[in-house]
Amino acid sequence: MVALVTEVARRHAERAGHALAYLYIDGHVRAYFGKVELGKTHHTAMRISLPATTDYWVNDATGAPVLVVITEGNTAMTQMIPGLLD
């Protein structure tokens, strides 16, 4: 599976070329109803705090998706990104 993902990433990088010089990150809260205990996060559409995950979508300069990182729900993307980069 890792080889497949690596190959898809390589092909995307070749196709996108200069568009990868700029990456856009967008976070989306998703309500979680599974069995694992997660912290609560404010869900703006539902206007309540509930267990949730946050999906961070990374897109290139053309808006094409590069990758998505799913984390436990959190309060601020600016505080999460440095840890995700590591």
Side-chain angles (χ1 to χ4, degrees):
M1 185 66 165
V2 172
L4 172 64
V5 172
T6 302
E7 180 62 18
V8 169
R10 185 188 65 73
R11 288 183 184 195
H12 177 75
E14 285 178 358
R15 180 188 55 79
H18 69 281
L20 290 179
Y22 299 94
L23 297 175
Y24 299 96
I25 302 173
D26 190 19
H28 296 271
V29 173
R30 182 169 30 127
Y32 176 78
F33 299 101
K35 296 180 181 180
V36 175
E37 294 251 350
L38 295 180
K40 292 186 176 184
T41 300
H42 184 73
H43 192 287
T44 55
M46 295 181 170
R47 298 182 182 193
I48 59 171
S49 290
L50 67 158
T53 60
T54 302
D55 302 340
Y56 290 106
W57 289 85
V58 179
N59 301 300
D60 67 17
T62 67
V66 176
L67 66 102
V68 63
V69 178
I70 301 170
T71 68
E72 187 171 331
N74 52 74
T75 57
M77 181 170 65
T78 56
Q79 294 173 359
M80 288 297 297
I81 296 303
L84 294 174
L85 292 175
D86 290 340

